Amino acid sequence: WLVNLHFDELNKTAPGLRLFDVAINGATVLQQFDVFAVTGGEDRAIVEQFPVDVSANMINIAFITEVENAKVSGIELVPQGIVGQVPPRTTLAWTNGSVQSPVARYEPISIQVGTKLYVMGGFTGFDLGVTNEVDIYDLVNQTWSTGSPLPGAQTHAAVASDGTYIYVAGGQLGGGEASGSGTNAVWRYDIANDLWTPFTPLPDVRFGGTMKIIDGVLHYVGGDYADRFTISTLHWAFDLTTGTQWTTLAPIPLGGDHLASAVVNGIWYT
């Protein structure tokens, strides 16, 4: 496989303000990596490519903070049919949407369900103020509507959906990285009725984990403990049909926070 790591420095304005290492399957591939210095400035994208042996049926990518938080904008895994030859990739083109988001924000909780994009909470500015607003974008009609406001964490929460409900778990309550408090609360949003209800809480407080539903089971991994610095490798699961509490399953080999993940053909990648 070929691992393509996409980087873009969005808010640092000089070299040396964000430095981190990257390791793939235990081998360091980038050391003291500085996106700003490598690209020559802010808002300039770069892709770093690495061939990876997957004989162990696993690709483990670690981002190790040196200065500030490590940051990656995208991870692309490309199968290699012939060693040294990369299959052609679909060319993507970004365009500015004609309909802007009702609220300017970053680090919101977002998820697509069918033809609707749900954008919930988030920071509203560099003063780290937050919003509980839920905005829903119709991808077909290209229009925004408003849902019932978030009752819980506005940022750093994990989100998943089975098409009927949206589940939001853990995260940070309130603004400011220092002043915001963590939570283990889980909320369930009834899409058809625009209604939030409490769900069984996580076993412990978590910031920035990731969550997916696989075969009717809600899975949560990673994130930070309540101290915001200690990374968890724990894996919790809740059977949405018969479950009454979260159970503990095999831990993730390497934890992290601000995680992204996807389920492809029943396999969870994070």
Side-chain angles (χ1 to χ4, degrees):
W1 288 73
L2 188 72
V3 175
N4 294 331
L5 300 180
H6 297 251
F7 299 99
D8 183 4
E9 182 53 69
L10 300 177
N11 53 31
K12 301 304 178 187
T13 57
L17 298 182
R18 189 193 306 276
L19 302 173
F20 55 92
D21 302 338
V22 180
I24 300 179
N25 287 348
T28 300
V29 295
L30 292 173
Q31 193 165 22
Q32 295 284 304
F33 190 60
D34 185 334
V35 178
F36 188 100
V38 171
T39 61
E42 190 178 4
D43 290 328
R44 298 181 182 181
I46 188 172
V47 180
E48 298 285 345
Q49 298 184 327
F50 307 97
V52 177
D53 177 12
V54 292
S55 57
N57 295 320
M58 180 175 67
I59 299 177
N60 194 330
I61 306 174
F63 297 87
I64 301 98
T65 294
E66 298 292 344
V67 177
E68 251 286 5
N69 292 323
K71 186 175 183 180
V72 63
S73 300
I75 299 175
E76 182 182 16
L77 304 178
V78 182
Q80 293 182 281
I82 302 174
V83 175
Q85 178 178 339
V86 180
R89 292 182 291 164
T90 302
T91 300
L92 299 177
W94 291 94
T95 58
N96 288 324
S98 59
V99 183
Q100 293 187 337
S101 169
V103 176
R105 51 184 147 194
Y106 61 99
E107 289 200 48
I109 306 158
S110 58
I111 189 170
Q112 180 182 340
V113 183
T115 59
K116 302 289 181 65
L117 176 65
Y118 294 79
V119 184
M120 305 170 281
F123 293 117
T124 55
F126 290 112
D127 61 353
L128 299 180
V130 295
T131 178
N132 288 77
E133 184 166 326
V134 173
D135 293 310
I136 306 166
Y137 185 64
D138 188 313
L139 299 170
V140 176
N141 298 326
Q142 299 185 26
T143 56
W144 288 95
S145 60
T146 302
S148 293
L150 269 173
Q154 298 95 347
T155 64
H156 296 80
V159 62
S161 178
D162 58 5
T164 301
Y165 299 103
I166 295 174
Y167 298 85
V168 175
Q172 176 175 300
L173 295 161
E177 292 192 17
S179 61
S181 59
T183 181
N184 67 334
V186 180
W187 292 89
R188 184 171 72 178
Y189 177 71
D190 184 328
I191 295 172
N193 295 301
D194 187 32
L195 179 66
W196 291 98
T197 55
F199 193 73
T200 306
L202 296 173
D204 198 4
V205 170
R206 285 293 182 273
F207 293 90
T210 186
M211 187 166 64
K212 284 290 183 284
I213 297 173
I214 306 172
D215 296 330
V217 177
L218 187 61
H219 295 262
Y220 185 106
V221 298
D224 295 329
Y225 285 81
D227 64 6
R228 297 184 62 90
F229 298 103
T230 305
I231 292 175
S232 170
T233 59
L234 292 178
H235 174 190
W236 296 321
F238 192 101
D239 190 312
L240 295 173
T241 302
T242 62
T244 58
Q245 61 183 2
W246 293 86
T247 59
T248 301
L249 299 181
I252 188 171
L254 184 67
D257 58 24
H258 294 77
L259 294 174
S261 66
V263 176
V264 181
N265 296 326
I267 300 175
W268 190 12
Y269 298 86
T270 185

